[in-house]
Amino acid sequence: MLLLNPPLTKPAEPPAGIAQLAGALTAHGHNYDIFDLNLHGILYLLENTKGGNDTWTKRAMKNRADNLIGVRHKELYAHHAKYQKTILELNRLIECNSRDGITLGLANYQDKQLSPLRSEDLLHVAEQPEKSLFYPFYTSCISQLLTEKSPLYVGISINYLSQAINGFALIGYLKKLAPDVKIIIGGGLITSWMRNPNWHNPFRGLIDHCVDGCGEKPLLEILGTPQNKPILPDYDALSNLPYFSPGFILPFNTSTGCYWNKCSFCPERAEGNIFSMRKKVQVTTEINQLVQSYSPVLLHLLDNAIPPAVLGQLIKNNPGVPWYGFVRIIDDFLEPDYCIALKKAGCTMLKL
């Protein structure tokens, strides 16, 4: 099994969904390999950017090596102006690769001619992967990966609109190189499509399995193995990669769905996602295990809104590493002692 994370998303931390799938495969004895095409694709663009004539681009080219080193050291993050300059210069080099109506940056990919919301456009991209901006990068690594790993299955996680076009170009390229390899796609964006009442799979013949929601159980079923063991995310293949952060950031979900589930604009409600939270003791145990295994510099809680019960559990059981995530405004935040307790427990930021 080969698990791939296609471009383009922010390259600051490893993909949590693929790590969860890796944990399922590890627990049930399946062999797999992971390749973060997003991170390596961005690095490929940075390394192969051709110089421009304007002063800004020339300066960005000159500082490229130093900026790539700096963005991975904590000293940079203590100086906002230096950090901003570094990111803007790296982003400038990525922008220099824009062409044919394509706009891109370190965390953005938009195509004025092709829409990630039109299946016709995605199928067109898959039919002509050589027109993809990332095609030279794909040719530099995918063939070698297939030769070295000889996978029977390739799993591709597409979570964001910015990944869709490049993801389908990747699928098309894989089909041309290895037509017998079974392709499985999943992720947040695929889930949104499949839970639309009007969903009728337009990708038959191109994709062998589309998975909506949590992919661990469906993936194991495809491989002929029932899920019968507890699953912990496995970041072994990702924790030492050169992400754009001053150390390893650990993404972790304490829940799926949303405990609030009342916002009419939210896809969680539109998709009918059921809220499910790990037991509080399980949250503490798993976070402690992962922190001990990977020594992260930051814990990123991925919940749509961290449940108040989890916040209380973190106060009682400091994870020993700074953490942040999304929350709803709750009455507890009116109490200074509660906010101070969160801070003492390692909370470094809450997104409201």
Side-chain angles (χ1 to χ4, degrees):
M1 181 97 198
L2 180 61
L3 299 172
L4 302 176
N5 180 47
L8 194 146
T9 66
K10 185 169 64 174
E13 62 187 57
I18 282 183
Q20 192 70 19
L21 296 177
L25 295 173
T26 298
H28 293 81
H30 291 284
N31 295 322
Y32 66 89
D33 291 280
I34 297 176
F35 199 75
D36 191 344
L37 292 171
N38 176 62
L39 173 63
H40 292 291
I42 288 173
L43 290 173
Y44 180 90
L45 292 183
L46 287 171
E47 292 164 1
N48 291 277
T49 298
K50 305 301 180 184
N53 294 321
D54 61 288
T55 302
W56 186 12
T57 304
K58 288 180 179 179
R59 184 173 66 243
M61 291 287 293
K62 178 183 177 182
N63 296 334
R64 175 170 50 190
D66 288 340
N67 285 339
L68 283 171
I69 293 172
V71 80
R72 299 181 185 118
H73 287 80
K74 64 181 180 180
E75 289 79 9
L76 177 68
Y77 296 82
H79 304 280
H80 178 73
K82 290 182 180 180
Y83 168 78
Q84 187 177 43
K85 175 178 176 292
T86 296
I87 294 300
L88 287 174
E89 288 184 357
L90 290 173
N91 198 70
R92 177 58 181 170
L93 295 180
I94 295 292
E95 287 177 344
C96 288
N97 292 276
S98 301
R99 60 172 172 79
D100 300 334
I102 296 173
T103 303
L104 73 162
L106 283 172
N108 179 48
Y109 183 100
Q110 293 182 331
D111 192 322
K112 293 181 179 179
Q113 299 175 8
L114 298 170
S115 170
L117 297 174
R118 285 198 297 264
S119 57
E120 296 86 354
D121 286 356
L122 296 175
L123 290 169
H124 174 75
V125 168
E127 290 170 0
Q128 298 181 318
E130 64 276 1
K131 294 186 178 181
S132 167
L133 186 149
F134 282 93
Y135 183 75
F137 166 62
Y138 290 159
T139 59
S140 72
C141 62
I142 296 298
S143 178
Q144 182 178 353
L145 274 174
L146 294 177
T147 300
E148 291 179 355
K149 309 302 181 183
S150 301
L152 299 176
Y153 297 88
V154 173
I156 299 173
S157 181
I158 301 178
N159 288 291
Y160 308 107
L161 289 171
S162 58
Q163 289 180 292
I165 290 175
N166 297 313
F168 273 78
L170 170 64
I171 291 168
Y173 185 53
L174 285 167
K175 276 296 184 183
K176 291 189 176 185
L177 280 179
D180 293 331
V181 171
K182 302 294 184 183
I183 293 179
I184 307 167
I185 63 169
L189 184 60
I190 306 304
T191 297
S192 294
W193 292 347
M194 294 180 69
R195 294 193 179 174
N196 186 308
N198 298 317
W199 165 260
H200 298 286
N201 187 0
F203 308 124
R204 292 186 180 90
L206 177 66
I207 295 166
D208 298 281
H209 300 278
C210 297
V211 175
D212 75 319
C214 298
E216 303 94 293
K217 183 178 179 180
L219 178 60
L220 291 171
E221 289 176 349
I222 290 169
L223 298 177
T225 305
Q227 182 179 334
N228 54 23
K229 296 179 181 179
I231 294 170
L232 194 66
D234 188 339
Y235 287 101
D236 286 359
L238 301 165
S239 60
N240 292 317
L241 295 182
Y243 289 102
F244 290 24
S245 57
F248 175 63
I249 296 177
L250 173 63
F252 183 77
N253 273 309
T254 73
S255 64
T256 57
C258 178
Y259 77 89
W260 181 253
N261 200 28
K262 296 179 183 178
C263 301
S264 60
F265 58 82
C266 181
E268 293 296 327
R269 186 177 183 188
E271 295 167 12
N273 293 329
I274 298 173
F275 173 67
S276 176
M277 190 182 88
R278 286 178 167 90
K279 294 179 180 179
K280 290 188 291 184
V281 174
Q282 183 184 6
V283 167
T284 299
T285 300
E286 292 185 357
I287 288 177
N288 288 342
Q289 286 179 330
L290 291 169
V291 168
Q292 185 175 3
S293 295
Y294 298 110
S295 302
V297 297
L298 185 66
L299 171 64
H300 179 190
L301 297 176
L302 301 169
D303 306 61
N304 286 281
I306 304 171
V310 171
L311 294 175
Q313 186 71 2
L314 290 169
I315 288 175
K316 294 178 182 178
N317 298 273
N318 187 326
V321 62
W323 55 270
Y324 80 102
F326 279 98
V327 294
R328 287 192 58 81
I329 298 176
I330 56 177
D331 290 343
D332 289 337
F333 294 149
L334 296 173
E335 301 295 333
D337 288 346
Y338 180 80
C339 297
I340 291 170
L342 285 172
K343 178 68 175 177
K344 288 181 177 179
C347 178
T348 190
M349 177 171 67
L350 294 178
K351 297 181 175 182
L352 303 176

